[in-house]
Amino acid sequence: MASKYAIGVDLGGTKILAAVVDAQGSVRAAAKKATQAEKGPEAVINRIRKAMDEALDKAKLTKDRVAAIGIGAPGIIDSVNGVVISLTNLPGWHNIAIAQSLRRWHAVPVSLSNDVRVAAVGEHRVGAGLGVHSMIAVFVGTGIGGGIIVNDKPWVGFRSSAGEVGHMVILADGPYAPGGGIRGGIEALASRSAIDRDLRAGIAAGRKSVLPDLLKEKGNDAITSSVLAKAVSKNDPLTIEVLRRAAYYLGLHAASLINAFDPEMLVYGGGVIEALGEWMVAQIRDVAKQHAINRTGLDKVKIVEAKLGEQAGAIGAALMALDALKA
C-alpha cells in the first residue's frame, strides 16, 4: 500500500509555507508564497492552494496520496469547526470557514490550529523536544507566542486558547507591545517589535550605534533579526544593551514557566533566536535558573534552541492532521 502524506500549512502575515510531510515528520517537499494579506481572505486562500499545488509538484505526488491537510494560523481559532474567528495582522479575517474552503481543493479532513501551537508540536515530535514528555516552546519574533506540551500532547486549555505565553505580565505598569496586547507582557518587553522600539528610542536620544550604517547598507529601514545579529557581531553597545535587557526579561518569563509548569524542556525559536542563537539562549537560561524556585534537579530542566526553523509550523500542522485521522 502506498504511503500517505499530509500537507502542512503555516499561514503567516507575510508568507505562506506549505510542506508535504510523511507520518514520521519528514518533509518530502515544501513551497513558499507571499501571503498578500492586503488582498483579503479569499485571495490568501487561493495563495494557500497554489502553495500546496507547488509543494505537491515538487514532491512528484498527486492529490490522491494526500490523506489530510493541517494548517496553523496566527489568531483566534475555532478548531472544532475549522473556522478562523480573527487573525493577527491579516485584515478582513472574521469568521472565515477556512477548512471548508481547503476541502474544495481536496476532499480530505482539514485540521486547523494556532500557528505557534503547531510549531510547538513540530519541535516536540521531530525537533529539539524529541524524546521529552513535557515541554514549552517560546517563539520570539515580531511578537512572542508559544505552545505547551503535557504528557506528549498539546495542551489547549478550557477554551482552546492555552499557550498565550507572550501575554504573561513580567513588568507591572510596563509598556504596551507595539501591536497592542497586554501592558507589561513579555511581548511588550522582548519581541523584535519591542527591541526595534527601544533601539530607535536610543538612536533618537543620541546614542551612538552602528545600526544607521547597517540599515543604509541594507537599503531599507527595517531592523530585522539578521541586522540585530550583525550589530552584535560588531559589538554595538546600544544593540547589546537592548538585547541583554530583552534576554533578562525572557529569563524571568522562563523562570515563571518553570515554576508554574515544571516542564522537562523549554525550547526557544523564532527569528530573533534563529539569528542570535546561543548568545541569546545562554542569557535566558542563566536568568531562568537564578529565579526558579525549586532548585532540586534544576540542571535537568533543559533550555535549548529550536531545531526546525521556519518548517516547524508546517511539520506540526501536518502531524496533527495525521493524528486526527486516528482519533
Side-chain angles (χ1 to χ4, degrees):
M1 183 177 174
S3 298
K4 290 287 187 178
Y5 297 84
I7 294 186
V9 177
D10 184 7
L11 172 60
T14 58
K15 70 173 176 62
I16 296 161
L17 180 68
V20 180
V21 180
D22 67 19
Q24 288 71 47
S26 296
V27 175
R28 177 80 175 256
K32 192 187 300 186
K33 296 285 184 189
T35 305
Q36 298 182 356
E38 71 281 358
K39 295 183 179 180
E42 189 53 45
V44 171
I45 290 170
N46 283 332
R47 303 285 291 171
I48 293 172
R49 293 186 187 115
K50 288 178 180 178
M52 293 193 296
D53 281 330
E54 187 174 318
L56 268 183
D57 286 345
K58 285 183 176 180
K60 296 180 170 53
L61 294 172
T62 53
K63 286 183 184 179
D64 63 298
R65 300 288 297 280
V66 176
I69 298 167
I71 180 166
I76 300 173
I77 305 298
D78 177 355
S79 297
V80 173
N81 295 303
V83 173
V84 170
I85 296 172
S86 66
L87 287 190
T88 308
N89 299 325
L90 275 79
W93 284 77
H94 301 289
N95 299 316
I96 302 297
I98 191 169
Q100 184 180 62
S101 294
L102 294 183
R103 279 194 294 270
R104 288 198 287 270
W105 178 82
H106 184 39
V108 294
V110 176
S111 173
L112 172 66
S113 193
N114 179 270
D115 62 335
V116 284
R117 185 178 297 151
V118 297
V121 169
E123 286 292 343
H124 172 246
R125 297 277 285 274
V126 296
L130 181 63
V132 306
H133 303 294
S134 64
M135 62 164 261
I136 300 173
V138 180
F139 298 95
V140 185
T142 305
I144 294 179
I148 302 167
I149 305 294
V150 176
N151 296 329
D152 294 313
K153 295 181 180 178
W155 186 52
V156 300
F158 174 58
R159 295 172 298 148
S160 298
S161 61
E164 291 286 358
V165 298
H167 301 297
M168 290 172 60
V169 175
I170 301 300
L171 183 64
D173 301 324
Y176 287 98
I182 304 296
R183 186 176 185 183
I186 189 63
E187 185 168 286
L189 299 168
S191 65
R192 186 167 55 78
S193 300
I195 291 165
D196 180 293
R197 175 200 63 211
D198 293 348
L199 288 170
R200 292 184 192 278
I203 292 167
R207 295 284 302 276
K208 290 185 178 180
S209 173
V210 301
L211 285 169
D213 289 338
L214 291 178
L215 296 177
K216 189 174 180 181
E217 284 175 21
K218 191 163 70 79
N220 65 56
D221 197 37
I223 302 177
T224 60
S225 297
S226 61
V227 168
L228 295 176
K230 188 171 285 189
V232 168
S233 73
K234 293 179 178 293
N235 293 313
D236 181 60
L238 174 62
T239 304
I240 289 172
E241 176 188 311
V242 169
L243 286 173
R244 286 197 185 283
R245 184 165 62 241
Y248 173 73
Y249 286 131
L250 284 165
L252 294 179
H253 179 255
S256 293
L257 292 173
I258 292 169
N259 292 339
F261 293 96
D262 194 24
E264 293 173 70
M265 181 179 285
L266 298 180
V267 176
Y268 282 83
V272 172
I273 303 299
E274 288 170 26
L276 296 167
E278 182 64 10
W279 184 88
M280 192 79 166
V281 174
Q283 295 177 69
I284 297 169
R285 186 186 301 121
D286 289 345
V287 175
K289 296 204 171 182
Q290 289 169 25
H291 291 84
I293 193 68
N294 182 2
R295 317 299 299 175
T296 304
L298 185 57
D299 59 321
K300 295 179 182 177
V301 179
K302 304 301 181 186
I303 300 177
V304 301
E305 293 176 60
K307 287 186 175 179
L308 301 181
E310 68 174 5
Q311 292 190 336
I315 292 171
L319 289 173
M320 288 179 73
L322 290 171
D323 288 347
L325 295 178
K326 305 170 191 173

